[in-house]
Amino acid sequence: TSPQGVIGSIVLDIKKSINTFNKYRRTQLQVDDSALRLALQVEKISGISGCFQCHKKQTEFWKDTRHAKAYETLSQQGQSFNLQCLPCHVTAGKINASSDESELVYLLSLGTDRQTIGCEVCHGPGNHHLLSPDESTPVRLPPEEICKQCHTADRDINFVYQKKLTAIACPAD
């Protein structure tokens, strides 16, 4: 066996162990924990289905983007329980890639409605807008800092904010 084959096998075993451990950790989470609810912005983020009700054209556009398939991609790679990957593949609330592991673990509790890069990652929490559309307007264009939390030089060497913004811009109503 080649050294690359041995190393690849070790890496795969480690990934499997991480997934197994974090699956167990998920069973220990209390979804009514106030720290978890605050970090995940449970009261502020509606999840992707909240946006679908009124923004059908944007939803159809979004469904064909890589953001829509971010968590699915992670799952296909066997990394859906990897706390180092999750923040950039889900609608994480206040949690991001630089968050402490004590908060990252909360991402394991997210339901399918937030297991994606949904509208609220770019446009901000939408629950208030969903409940009172005339009183609350989401951010139209995400600030570059939001994008660069995940699109770092290490992860996306070709990231150019203006170019990518044009590629993911949802159609207007």
Side-chain angles (χ1 to χ4, degrees), residues 20-139:
T20 300
F21 177 62
N22 284 333
K23 283 178 186 178
Y24 167 75
R25 290 172 84 184
R26 179 179 60 182
T27 66
Q28 304 304 303
L29 291 172
Q30 303 294 320
V31 293
D32 61 345
D33 177 276
S34 60
L36 176 144
R37 296 180 68 75
L38 181 64
L40 295 177
Q41 294 184 299
V42 171
E43 281 75 27
K44 294 182 178 187
I45 294 178
S46 63
I48 197 69
S49 62
C51 305
F52 292 178
Q53 298 172 34
C54 300
H55 302 284
K56 292 179 184 1
K57 187 188 322 182
Q58 292 82 358
T59 299
E60 290 306 313
F61 172 83
W62 169 83
K63 284 180 181 178
D64 290 329
T65 68
R66 292 177 69 189
H67 282 160
K69 296 165 184 68
Y71 184 81
E72 182 182 323
T73 300
L74 201 60
S75 293
Q76 290 169 351
Q77 296 173 355
Q79 295 298 298
S80 57
F81 291 91
N82 186 328
L83 299 180
Q84 301 308 307
C85 300
L86 276 172
C88 293
H89 292 261
V90 298
T91 303
K94 292 183 176 182
I95 300 171
N96 61 52
S98 62
S99 294
D100 186 79
E101 186 165 337
S102 64
E103 284 190 326
L104 290 172
V105 72
Y106 296 154
L107 298 176
L108 299 171
S109 71
L110 290 175
T112 56
D113 211 35
R114 291 187 54 185
Q115 291 175 341
T116 185
I117 303 298
C119 308
E120 293 164 294
V121 172
C122 299
H123 301 290
N127 233 12
H128 187 67
H129 174 68
L130 186 64
L131 298 172
S132 304
D134 295 332
E135 288 180 27
S136 174
T137 305
V139 173

Side-chain angles (χ1 to χ4, degrees), residues 150-163:
C150 294
H151 293 277
T152 63
D154 291 344
R155 295 185 195 117
D156 190 349
I157 195 164
N158 297 316
F159 181 78
V160 177
Y161 175 72
Q162 287 299 335
K163 184 177 176 183

